[in-house]
Amino acid sequence: MILIVDSGATKSDWIALDEEGNQLFITKTLGLSPEVLTREIIDERLANNFELSDNRAKVTQLYFYGAGCGTDRMKNYLTKIFKNFFVNARIFIQEDTYAAIHATAQPGEHAIVCILGTGSNCSYYDGSEVFQKVTSLGYILMDDCSGNYFGRQLLRDYYYHRMPQNLAHKFSGTYDLEADVIKNNLYKQPNPNTYLATFARFVIENREQEYCQNLIKEGMQLFIDNAIRQYEQAESVPVHFIGSIAFYLQKELNEVMAENNLKVGNILRRPIDNLVEYHKAIVFNK
């Protein structure tokens, strides 16, 4: 059995294939970001999934693409956990950037590939190799235009009384905004970046409001200036996007990209389906 996994900070999509490339099952777990989760939490999330637990000894290959897997330290950390759980499997771990590239870019295509989901990322693909000019320092310092970025901005504007009154009333009626609740989730619970990203739905659902439009476009412009513009090829190659923020806000994304003389390529909510097709072509020659 072969497992192919796309793991973000919020959730992980798993697809199991047999040795001929036929789909056996699809399942989900919560995100398995090694930067913010302990081994105990990752073990628990694996063990609590029936399909994975029931088939753990049958897995011969695991292809895992994950947020926070860009360093050897994080890859080794996860490899040890997976080898203990999938006892007969060969483990292959890459950063989620590679999943986005395999899902959006054609073989040999030169492109910039971006992730705009719970977190954000941006890479240049020259048709064979991946280049990143910016080393991510995580959600606290970076992640412009991500779900956690918009959550952080919303909470700051609400508490600094910068949010229009009608939206502030709606915001407080949608979420528990007690300071103790927010601080507990941010500083005492696992996955504070995922918690922040839960507020991004408010921006999406109210995107026609002027305040939200400004917030969205400011975040997108920051991402263009700080990430996409790092590459001198930015205006000459397509820019592909993966992630829920890019997918649900693609109208605004297209507008801001056009204003910056940048060409939008593919926009996908999640890469897992295209990722499976990539592996069928590479591993099974299908």
Side-chain angles (χ1 to χ4, degrees):
M1 182 184 295
I2 296 170
L3 286 178
I4 300 170
V5 191
D6 171 52
S7 178
T10 302
K11 63 180 177 61
S12 301
D13 293 314
W14 301 68
I15 292 185
L17 307 176
D18 65 19
E19 300 301 324
E20 299 298 320
N22 302 306
Q23 183 176 299
L24 297 174
F25 65 81
I26 301 176
T27 190
K28 294 180 183 291
T29 65
L30 293 173
L32 301 176
S33 177
E35 289 184 325
V36 296
L37 297 177
T38 65
R39 175 169 188 154
E40 290 72 23
I41 292 175
I42 295 174
D43 281 335
E44 181 182 6
R45 291 183 178 183
L46 294 172
N48 285 343
N49 183 284
F50 172 78
E51 286 90 351
L52 298 182
S53 292
D54 193 49
N55 292 283
R56 58 192 294 182
K58 299 177 185 177
V59 178
T60 57
Q61 298 178 63
L62 170 64
Y63 295 91
F64 185 89
Y65 299 87
C69 296
T71 66
D72 288 340
R73 184 172 65 88
M74 291 294 97
K75 289 177 183 177
N76 292 336
Y77 172 67
L78 274 183
T79 296
K80 290 178 182 178
I81 296 173
F82 289 148
K83 279 187 175 296
N84 185 64
F85 189 83
F86 301 107
V87 292
N88 297 310
R90 295 173 61 197
I91 311 297
F92 305 90
I93 297 178
Q94 286 188 305
E95 191 177 13
D96 56 350
T97 297
Y98 286 85
I101 288 168
H102 296 329
T104 60
Q106 296 298 315
E109 177 186 27
H110 290 234
I112 291 173
V113 180
C114 307
I115 297 172
L116 292 180
T118 298
S120 65
N121 202 347
C122 182
S123 303
Y124 179 74
Y125 181 58
D126 72 354
S128 60
E129 294 187 51
V130 179
F131 301 91
Q132 287 187 325
K133 283 198 172 182
V134 176
T135 299
S136 176
L137 297 177
Y139 75 98
I140 294 176
L141 295 177
M142 294 186 170
D143 277 6
D144 293 335
C145 199
S146 66
N148 69 69
Y149 164 86
F150 287 119
R152 186 167 62 248
Q153 298 305 113
L154 285 168
L155 289 173
R156 284 172 57 85
D157 284 356
Y158 178 81
Y159 266 87
Y160 282 128
H161 308 291
R162 292 197 296 250
M163 188 180 291
Q165 188 172 0
N166 64 317
L167 282 177
H169 179 75
K170 189 174 183 180
F171 191 50
S172 63
T174 305
Y175 301 97
D176 188 340
L177 299 180
E178 288 292 329
D180 285 343
V181 172
I182 293 171
K183 288 188 283 187
N184 179 60
N185 279 282
L186 289 180
Y187 306 116
K188 298 291 181 65
Q189 301 301 319
N191 291 80
N193 54 334
T194 301
Y195 169 71
L196 284 171
T198 62
F199 296 99
R201 177 178 293 182
F202 187 83
V203 174
I204 295 169
E205 292 177 346
N206 295 278
R207 60 185 176 275
E208 299 305 323
Q209 298 289 325
E210 182 180 3
Y211 164 80
C212 291
Q213 277 288 302
N214 291 336
L215 195 64
I216 291 165
K217 292 186 175 181
E218 286 172 6
M220 290 177 175
Q221 191 62 54
L222 274 177
F223 184 77
I224 289 170
D225 293 340
N226 293 333
I228 296 176
R229 290 286 185 194
Q230 292 283 337
Y231 303 100
E232 61 185 21
Q233 303 93 339
E235 293 188 15
S236 61
V237 300
V239 184
H240 302 308
F241 290 90
I242 287 282
S244 56
I245 296 299
F247 183 80
Y248 288 114
L249 297 177
Q250 57 186 284
K251 175 179 176 291
E252 291 79 7
L253 183 58
N254 275 289
E255 290 173 357
V256 177
M257 290 287 285
E259 291 169 2
N260 284 269
N261 197 32
L262 300 172
K263 178 184 177 183
V264 176
N266 297 314
I267 301 177
L268 302 178
R269 182 183 176 188
R270 58 182 196 150
I272 189 66
D273 295 328
N274 289 17
L275 194 57
V276 169
E277 294 306 311
Y278 166 81
H279 277 277
K280 284 184 178 180
I282 299 299
V283 179
F284 307 106
N285 296 314
K286 292 188 176 182

